[in-house]
Amino acid sequence: MNAEPLPTEPARVATEPVRVEPALAEPVRFDTKIAVLLREDLEPWQRLNVTAFLVSGIGPSVPEVIGEPYEDADGTGYLPMFRQPVLVFQGTKETLTAAHARVLSRALPRALFTSDLFTTGNDRDNRAAVRAVPTAELDLVGLAVYGPRNAVDKVLKGARMHP
């Protein structure tokens, strides 16, 4: 049995951060989609607020959408984020109501934001405001959905990309 000789030089240790170049491979395509649908009559600050609240519900409920933690070249760590883009759409109140019915019928993971939530200031009161209104009477201003691309596309039928 021939054994390989042991190296005589000590292993070299990198003293500078290694710069990783972006992969030159094909773009990553996901077979799932994360989407937010906003009612078109919201003020700009409301659009941002609603989007932030809605997507905060997707990550904890669907952990596979969360990527790895980030780190900069100095080794400073940052929280992980979604592993895929979040697409933001807008539509009329009727478009939102129809999308809500479709997402419920398809039993996809979803989050909602109603107009009542603009008047509350905490999670307990938010949940109570939603619980107080029957499904068909919710005054929806935003909806987030996650699922297979084609199923999410069907839920969002009639909506258009947010400008």
Side-chain angles (χ1 to χ4, degrees), residues 33-40 47 51 86-91 95-96 141-143 145 152-153 156-163:
K33 185 180 276 189
I34 302 170
V36 171
L37 174 56
L38 301 171
R39 203 165 75 191
E40 64 187 4
R47 291 171 186 250
T51 300
V86 175
L87 302 173
V88 181
F89 297 82
Q90 67 178 9
T95 301
L96 201 54
V141 297
L143 182 69
V145 60
V152 172
D153 289 343
L156 298 175
K157 183 180 177 185
R160 59 192 181 283
M161 288 295 292
H162 188 277

Side-chain angles (χ1 to χ4, degrees), residues 75-91:
T76 304
Y78 302 92
L79 295 173
M81 295 186 282
F82 288 126
R83 66 182 177 99
Q84 66 190 87
V86 175
L87 302 173
V88 181
F89 297 82
Q90 67 178 9

Side-chain angles (χ1 to χ4, degrees), residues 43-159:
E43 294 294 324
W45 72 267
Q46 291 173 315
R47 291 171 186 250
L48 295 170
N49 185 269
V50 171
T51 300
F53 269 89
L54 288 172
V55 297
S56 75
I58 299 289
S61 300
V62 189
E64 64 268 21
V65 301
I66 303 297
E68 297 296 320
Y70 286 69
E71 185 176 290
D72 65 25
D74 294 325
T76 304
Y78 302 92
L79 295 173
M81 295 186 282
F82 288 126
R83 66 182 177 99
Q84 66 190 87
V86 175
L87 302 173
V88 181
F89 297 82
Q90 67 178 9
T92 63
K93 183 175 183 171
E94 294 76 22
T95 301
L96 201 54
T97 300
H100 184 240
R102 288 191 290 266
V103 76
L104 293 177
S105 73
R106 287 173 171 76
L108 295 172
R110 70 247 174 213
L112 83 158
F113 199 104
T114 67
S115 62
D116 295 330
L117 303 188
F118 290 125
T119 65
T120 60
N122 60 72
D123 184 55
R124 181 196 66 224
D125 293 343
N126 286 351
R127 286 182 283 109
V130 172
R131 191 179 313 109
V133 181
T135 304
E137 296 175 25
L138 292 168
D139 185 19
L140 297 167
V141 297
L143 182 69
V145 60
Y146 170 77
R149 292 177 64 85
N150 62 344
V152 172
D153 289 343
K154 289 176 183 174
V155 166
L156 298 175
K157 183 180 177 185

